[in-house]
Amino acid sequence: MSDCLFCKIIAGEIPGNVVFENDKVFAFRDINPQAPVHVLIVPKKHMANVLECDGETAAALTDAIREIAAKEGVAESGFRVISNCGHDGAQSVNHLHVHLLGGRALPERMG
């Protein structure tokens, strides 16, 4: 999608601090981190949110989460995975993405 920020990052048109990439998934550091580890994990194929996600993409995202959590050193201590969906869910970029947050104890409650 030509006007999608994350599609432009995936295509290399906009720089991103890449932490992982394979044929289906692209991951990069959030520019406004909410934790010491804050990585955005996105499918390379554009889809708006989890409502458009198929099983193959969900599996690819899950595999990437596992690998990135280990690489970033948070797999053992724990981490949080969040996907915002739609306006009321606080989705700021309309391209499916999951936030992997960790590197410190996270609050139990959100908001």
Side-chain angles (χ1 to χ4, degrees):
M1 182 168 258
S2 63
D3 62 338
C4 173
L5 174 65
F6 289 170
C7 287
K8 289 179 180 181
I9 292 171
I10 293 165
E13 297 171 19
I14 296 174
N17 188 346
V18 180
V19 297
F20 177 86
E21 182 177 8
N22 65 23
D23 61 326
K24 301 218 180 279
V25 176
F26 192 87
F28 52 96
R29 299 202 187 281
D30 194 293
I31 62 169
N32 185 26
Q34 303 300 303
V37 173
H38 189 166
V39 177
L40 299 177
I41 306 164
V42 303
K44 287 186 171 181
K45 177 182 174 186
H46 182 86
M47 51 192 74
N49 54 48
V50 296
L51 299 176
E52 295 182 7
C53 187
D54 58 32
E56 182 180 356
T57 301
L61 289 170
T62 301
D63 289 344
I65 289 165
R66 185 180 305 110
E67 190 168 332
I68 294 164
K71 180 181 175 184
E72 294 292 316
V74 298
E76 296 296 321
S77 60
F79 58 93
R80 182 173 291 155
V81 175
I82 300 169
S83 183
N84 301 328
C85 186
H87 180 267
D88 286 353
Q91 184 177 3
S92 59
V93 177
N94 289 321
H95 184 123
L96 171 60
H97 58 286
V98 296
H99 299 256
L100 186 151
L101 299 135
R104 66 171 167 83
L106 299 170
E108 288 186 32
R109 295 187 51 138
M110 297 185 62

